[in-house]
């Protein structure tokens, strides 16, 4: 029924990679780092945690795939993603002792399939895209939007699990998991109508925009309730991803499902951001965005907020009011010192995202400039619970060792400057 297929040679390749992942997962360093993550996420850690997110430049660091089938290459890539950080970067990412898959669920806001147009290179790689907007005028088009659609294909999920187990399940267990709950309403708005149109709509049709945001929020909540009813929520308390480049290790949320019970959103990590609203004032964010974001984020047990947007303008009047907020993104556009003052002594983790330019621009890492960049963070975050995640590097410029060098320098500077 399902077109899952790998060749016998693909199977051999995947089994060898599965053995490697399992071996790495059992190393003593993994247990040490796991305990450090647990303590860090409880705001009891002794040092900052470090993670380099590779998906944007993995073509520069993952070996050339050997599998011949499309399905085989997909699995091969996922296996490498599970352990390549340990092999090539030596950050604090932990190799899991199982192969993770997720329930095949979907959520389609207003029943609209968001479509893109791509700009392609001569080699067939996408170098940019734009969305085909379905809303031209919010006042006119809002009543035309249909109901949101969501669901799950349990049969396909279980077929995929069985297929993987037949390849390497005797070596590496296959486990159905999920990452944190994810809701970014303003991203959905921009995908439906564009950023400029969104900004004008707040001014031209404030009441309709409020109704628009309320409906998006309510539909996300109804989708989450569906996941609860169907028993599709699984623990997010260990190896699972939590939003922008961090991990869920915690003892504050359930790590197992009790027999006869189902998890609720309060048992999971969640994530939200609002990069799309950097063009509005803090007071407009407080009026048009935050009430709806807080309604969703209040459903989470713990949550992480932010991506590239600066959070300092909306901290005092908005985000500081979120009692379950545990991590907040301190992006390259954020006032590091101000957020250091605000987070010092709190149980909100200073989740620093260094500029990607040091690793992602040029052929060589400017080690002295990188040192000064990190020293600035270490000084600004003194007294805070610091985590450093490098994101948004799209090329290594021919030097695959740059991420490892960058992490090594961070560790040296932590020894020197972190108190």
């Amino acid at each position: 029924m399902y077109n899952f297929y790998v060749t016998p040679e693909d199977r051999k390749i995947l089994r060898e990679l599965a053995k490697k992942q399992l071996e790495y997962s059992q190393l003593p360093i993994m247990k040490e780092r796991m305990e450090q993550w647990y303590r860090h996420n409880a705001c009891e850690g002794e040092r900052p945690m470090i993670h380099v997110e590779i998906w944007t430049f993995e073509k520069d660091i993952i070996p050339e795939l050997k599998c011949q089938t499309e399905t085989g290459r997909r699995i091969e890539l996922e296996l490498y993603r599970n352990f390549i950080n340990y092999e090539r970067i030596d950050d604090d990412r932990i190799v899991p002792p199982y192969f993770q898959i997720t329930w095949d669920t979907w959520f389609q806001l207003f029943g609209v399939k968001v479509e893109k147009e791509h700009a392609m290179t001569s080699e067939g790689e996408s170098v940019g895209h734009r969305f085909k907007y379905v809303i031209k005028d919010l006042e006119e088009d809002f009543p035309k939007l249909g109901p949101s659609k969501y669901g799950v294909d349990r049969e396909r999920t279980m077929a995929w699990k069985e297929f993987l187990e037949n390849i390497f399940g005797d070596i590496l267990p296959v486990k159905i998991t999920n990452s944190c709950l994810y809701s970014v309403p303003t991203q959905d708005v921009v995908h439906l109508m564009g950023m400029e149109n969104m900004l004008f709509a707040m001014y031209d049709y404030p009441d309709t925009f409020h109704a628009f945001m309320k409906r998006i929020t309510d539909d996300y909540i109804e989708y989450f309730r569906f996941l609860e009813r169907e028993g599709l929520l699984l623990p997010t308390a260990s190896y699972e991803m939590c939003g922008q480049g961090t991990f869920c290790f915690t003892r504050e949320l359930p790590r197992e499902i009790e027999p006869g019970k189902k998890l609720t959103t309060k048992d999971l990590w969640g994530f939200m951001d609002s990069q799309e609203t950097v063009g509005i004032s803090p007071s407009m964010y407080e009026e048009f965005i935050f009430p709806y974001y807080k309604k969703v984020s209040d459903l989470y047990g713990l949550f992480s907020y932010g991506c590239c947007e600066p959070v300092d303008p909306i901290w005092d009047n908005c985000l500081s009011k979120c009692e379950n907020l545990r991590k907040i993104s301190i992006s390259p556009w954020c006032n590091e010192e101000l957020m250091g003052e605000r987070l010092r002594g709190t149980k909100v983790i200073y989740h620093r995202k260094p500029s990607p330019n040091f690793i992602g621009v040029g052929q060589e890492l400017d080690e002295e400039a990188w040192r000064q960049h990190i020293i600035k963070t270490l000084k600004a975050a003194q007294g805070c619970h610091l985590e450093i995640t490098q994101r948004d590097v799209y090329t290594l410029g021919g030097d695959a060792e740059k991420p490892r060098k960058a992490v090594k320098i961070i560790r040296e500077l932590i020894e020197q400057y972190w108190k």
Side-chain angles (χ1 to χ4, degrees), residues 181-418:
L181 292 171
Y182 187 95
S183 174
V184 184
T186 55
Q187 183 180 83
D188 293 313
V189 171
V190 168
H191 290 176
L192 290 168
M193 66 190 302
M195 187 175 296
E196 183 176 338
N197 200 359
M198 176 187 74
L199 298 177
F200 276 115
M202 291 182 196
Y203 181 85
D204 293 334
Y205 313 121
D207 292 341
T208 306
F209 192 85
H210 274 292
F212 188 37
M213 288 295 295
K214 182 180 185 302
R215 188 168 164 197
I216 293 173
T217 300
D218 290 345
D219 285 7
Y220 263 109
I221 292 173
E222 181 53 38
Y223 171 57
F224 291 161
R225 295 306 183 211
F226 162 78
L227 297 177
E228 288 181 350
R229 292 192 305 270
E230 294 295 317
L232 297 169
L233 296 182
L234 299 170
T236 55
S238 58
Y239 301 91
E240 301 81 23
M241 293 297 299
C242 179
Q244 307 288 1
T246 185
F247 302 93
C248 290
F249 293 96
T250 182
R251 296 187 174 99
E252 298 173 57
L253 300 173
R255 299 161 70 184
E256 302 289 342
I257 302 177
E258 295 182 24
K261 292 189 176 181
K262 297 176 181 178
L263 296 183
T264 72
T265 60
K266 277 292 185 182
D267 297 317
L268 275 69
W269 278 89
F271 173 81
M272 303 188 82
D273 70 33
S274 188
Q275 299 179 91
E276 300 76 19
T277 53
V278 295
I280 66 175
S281 67
S283 61
M284 286 187 71
Y285 178 91
E286 185 177 4
E287 176 184 352
F288 287 100
I289 308 300
F290 184 63
Y292 307 103
Y293 269 57
K294 191 167 190 304
K295 187 176 180 180
V296 174
S297 67
D298 280 348
L299 299 176
Y300 303 145
L302 298 169
F303 88 104
S304 175
Y305 184 94
C307 184
C308 289
E309 73 271 35
V311 295
D312 50 289
I314 57 174
W315 173 257
D316 290 340
N317 291 338
C318 296
L319 298 175
S320 64
K321 299 176 182 178
C322 298
E323 296 180 358
N324 57 342
L325 177 64
R326 182 55 55 90
K327 302 191 182 195
I328 190 159
S329 175
I330 312 299
S331 78
W333 296 273
C334 192
N335 185 323
E336 286 194 80
E337 289 75 18
L338 176 63
M339 289 308 297
E341 293 173 7
R342 295 296 191 270
L343 300 183
R344 197 162 291 130
T346 72
K347 289 197 71 173
V348 180
I349 291 169
Y350 187 111
H351 190 186
R352 175 62 172 159
K353 315 288 182 57
S355 169
N357 292 347
F358 296 94
I359 299 176
V361 177
Q363 294 183 340
E364 297 181 0
L365 175 68
D366 186 335
E367 295 190 11
E368 182 54 33
W370 175 246
R371 286 178 182 276
Q372 295 306 313
H373 190 61
I374 298 302
I375 289 171
K376 183 174 185 289
T377 292
L378 294 174
K379 290 182 175 180
Q382 286 293 328
C384 302
H385 306 285
L386 174 63
E387 180 175 339
I388 299 175
T389 295
Q390 181 64 73
R391 306 188 73 235
D392 300 317
V393 173
Y394 286 86
T395 176
L396 298 180
D399 183 1
E401 290 300 308
K402 281 197 287 185
R404 181 187 287 272
K405 294 174 186 175
V407 168
K408 184 174 183 291
I409 289 171
I410 294 174
R411 294 199 191 283
E412 292 171 356
L413 294 174
I414 287 173
E415 288 294 323
Q416 185 176 354
Y417 287 92
W418 192 250

Side-chain angles (χ1 to χ4, degrees), residues 33 36-37 40 47-51 92 386-389:
R33 288 175 178 170
Q36 289 171 343
W37 274 110
H40 169 74
R47 67 163 180 86
M49 302 302 288
I50 308 166
H51 176 222
D92 291 320
L386 174 63
E387 180 175 339
I388 299 175
T389 295

